[in-house]
Amino acid sequence: MSLFGAVRTVARSTPAIGRIGHANFFAITSSSKNNIVNNPTPQTTSIRSKHSATQVKRLFKNNPARLRILKKQEGGASTADKSSSSSTPERVYPEIFQPTFLSNGWSAPPPPEVEIPEYSFRITRTAGKPNNAVGFLPVYRDVRVHGTKRTTLIRSVQGDIPAFLSELRAVLNLSTGKKGILTSASTGKHGGGEAGRGVNAQNPIRIRTGGAIEVNGDRAKEIKKWLAGLGF
């Protein structure tokens, strides 16, 4: 048989093979349908998760953003407790008279008929004035860092310093600060003195070396009015 004859024979036999295959396929399909109808069996469908258990734990449960949120929520209660403990105290000593101030910041002490109570702290006015004149209250403005840093200094404070600071906080509506009342003994996390860094909005009060009390911001008028109203 020639080559062309063999090719012709294969081409003629191929459709028959295809027809047999299709017939067998339809026969198998119909028999499987009958088996399913006659013998129904429950089928379970399992859906695979996009992430494995390890991935879910790593991506969601231990996600850094989620952990930060949880830490912030857990710290909310402790922060509320801290804020309640460091809230503004109430005043103990009320004003005994209304002072009058001159343009230079000087105010006259109360007249003799005004009874001055006994305070646990005291403020000494400046001395050395001509003719033994009454001096000024030792409250000063301090401007540093090219005029961008303004603080208020209170000098010549004697007696119960914690009681004075409590009254000062009540008058100025100040908290104890994030790190408490700063002193020259306060140290930062890098070993530097926190008091040497100065006061700011988070830490508004510090006791400087020498006993002077520094308050964040220009609060000189408020402090002078408070001290003069107490009779100092």
Side-chain angles (χ1 to χ4, degrees):
M1 180 184 294
S2 63
L3 177 62
F4 293 102
V7 172
R8 191 180 298 111
T9 303
V10 173
R12 289 176 181 176
S13 62
T14 301
I17 296 173
R19 285 194 296 271
I20 294 173
H22 286 295
N24 293 336
F25 172 77
F26 287 118
I28 294 171
T29 304
S30 59
S31 64
S32 62
K33 287 184 179 179
N34 294 332
N35 292 334
I36 293 174
V37 173
N38 296 331
N39 300 319
T41 56
Q43 297 181 356
T44 59
T45 303
S46 61
I47 301 176
R48 183 180 182 275
S49 176
K50 184 177 181 181
H51 303 287
S52 65
T54 304
Q55 289 175 329
V56 169
K57 184 177 180 181
R58 183 177 70 250
L59 296 177
F60 300 102
K61 294 183 180 180
N62 292 335
N63 186 274
R66 179 176 180 273
L67 295 179
R68 286 194 298 269
I69 294 175
L70 292 177
K71 185 178 180 180
K72 187 179 294 184
Q73 291 176 350
E74 293 175 357
S78 61
T79 303
D81 297 338
K82 291 180 181 178
S83 61
S84 61
S85 62
S86 62
S87 59
T88 304
E90 296 182 358
R91 292 187 61 174
V92 177
Y93 305 108
E95 294 183 355
I96 60 175
F97 88 113
Q98 293 293 329
T100 302
F101 289 89
L102 300 180
S103 59
N104 60 357
W106 182 86
S107 64
E113 59 269 16
V114 176
E115 183 179 356
I116 301 176
E118 290 289 336
Y119 299 111
S120 59
F121 54 87
R122 61 184 182 274
I123 302 292
T124 305
R125 289 187 177 231
T126 58
K129 303 300 177 183
N131 301 322
N132 294 326
V134 177
F136 290 80
L137 289 169
V139 181
Y140 309 93
R141 295 181 177 90
D142 191 10
V143 182
R144 300 192 301 271
V145 195
H146 305 288
T148 60
K149 180 71 174 179
R150 297 177 181 271
T151 61
T152 305
L153 296 178
I154 310 172
R155 302 184 184 276
S156 303
V157 182
Q158 300 174 352
D160 191 350
I161 302 300
F164 176 83
L165 294 176
S166 178
E167 287 290 303
L168 179 66
R169 290 174 50 214
V171 171
L172 302 181
N173 192 22
L174 297 176
S175 65
T176 54
K178 185 177 180 180
K179 300 178 181 178
I181 304 298
L182 299 179
T183 64
S184 57
S186 302
T187 57
K189 61 180 180 179
H190 300 296
E194 288 292 341
R197 301 172 189 267
V199 293
N200 49 40
Q202 288 75 29
N203 302 287
I205 304 175
R206 74 163 174 168
I207 303 176
R208 299 177 63 172
T209 302
I213 297 174
E214 185 177 16
V215 180
N216 185 52
D218 186 358
R219 315 296 295 270
K221 287 185 177 180
E222 301 171 73
I223 296 174
K224 285 183 178 181
K225 182 180 179 182
W226 164 58
L227 294 177
L230 294 179
F232 294 109

